[in-house]
Amino acid sequence: MTKTQAPNGKRAKKRGISYRPITDADMPLLGIIYDSTRAAEMQSVPWTSQQKRDFLDMQFRAQHTHYQEHYPDAAWLIIEHGGEAIGRLYLEEWPTQFCVIDITILPHLRGSGHGGAIMRDVMDEARAVGKGVCIHVEKNNQAMHLYNRLGFEKAEDKGVYDLMVWRP
């Protein structure tokens, strides 16, 4: 298998979205992006700010290490809009599908259509080579509505997550 490339679709490009590979210098940014996915959950936890910070840092590092070890051919990308980092996209092409390991847009831009444009571009590229797309989505993730609108279907209940699959 070859190293996965960034999506080359027109929808995201029309919105001014571009991608660049992550670097070690992006670790603080990636931590902030990760933290944004856990913000609501952390509000209900009776910990100090420092305890929450330490926990999120540990969780982010564990996730990052896991992803790097288990998806060696993935594209590890920062999503940019107008040159400003707005999220991350981790994507790996497999023999029968494209696996969206993670897509996260910063909270102030969620619901803006950027994620949908990116996913449609990934779907277009998968369709062009006769492949599907899969993604694990937390059951309470508001993006679940987007995946349903895009035609993803639940393929498997994974507890906290649903494995969602789109087929061309």
Side-chain angles (χ1 to χ4, degrees):
M1 183 174 296
T2 61
K3 184 83 170 161
T4 304
Q5 301 296 311
N8 196 17
K10 61 185 177 214
R11 289 180 178 90
K13 191 177 285 187
K14 279 184 181 178
R15 294 177 151 272
I17 293 173
S18 60
Y19 309 94
R20 66 172 175 78
I22 67 170
T23 67
D24 289 341
D26 290 316
M27 291 302 284
L29 168 65
L30 292 170
I32 290 167
I33 293 168
Y34 173 82
D35 291 358
S36 77
T37 68
R38 307 284 302 265
E41 174 188 0
M42 289 293 104
Q43 288 178 345
S44 64
V45 177
W47 298 341
T48 67
S49 293
Q50 187 59 50
Q51 288 171 320
K52 291 177 184 180
R53 176 75 252 132
D54 292 344
F55 174 77
L56 289 172
D57 186 57
M58 176 191 66
Q59 292 288 295
F60 163 66
R61 292 187 183 285
Q63 181 192 68
H64 185 77
T65 299
H66 173 82
Y67 284 169
Q68 295 285 313
E69 288 176 0
H70 289 88
Y71 301 97
D73 297 315
W76 308 103
L77 305 167
I78 296 292
I79 302 166
E80 294 186 331
H81 181 259
E84 177 185 341
I86 64 163
R88 68 182 187 179
L89 174 64
Y90 301 162
L91 178 68
E92 188 169 79
E93 185 176 353
W94 295 348
T96 61
Q97 59 191 348
F98 283 49
C99 176
V100 178
I101 302 159
D102 187 274
I103 179 171
T104 303
I105 304 292
L106 287 171
H108 69 282
L109 290 170
R110 290 181 189 152
S112 67
H114 293 330
I118 293 166
M119 288 302 297
R120 283 180 180 93
D121 286 345
V122 170
M123 293 162 65
D124 287 348
E125 289 193 23
R127 180 185 294 111
V129 293
K131 296 182 180 186
V133 178
C134 70
I135 184 169
H136 285 90
V137 184
E138 285 186 0
K139 293 179 188 302
N140 64 350
N141 187 329
Q142 292 198 355
M144 186 67 83
H145 300 293
L146 168 65
Y147 300 119
N148 288 323
R149 281 194 318 270
L150 292 175
F152 281 76
E153 297 177 350
K154 181 165 81 170
E156 189 175 347
D157 183 325
K158 300 278 206 166
V160 175
Y161 297 93
D162 285 337
L163 172 61
M164 304 295 290
V165 175
W166 172 85
R167 293 174 182 87

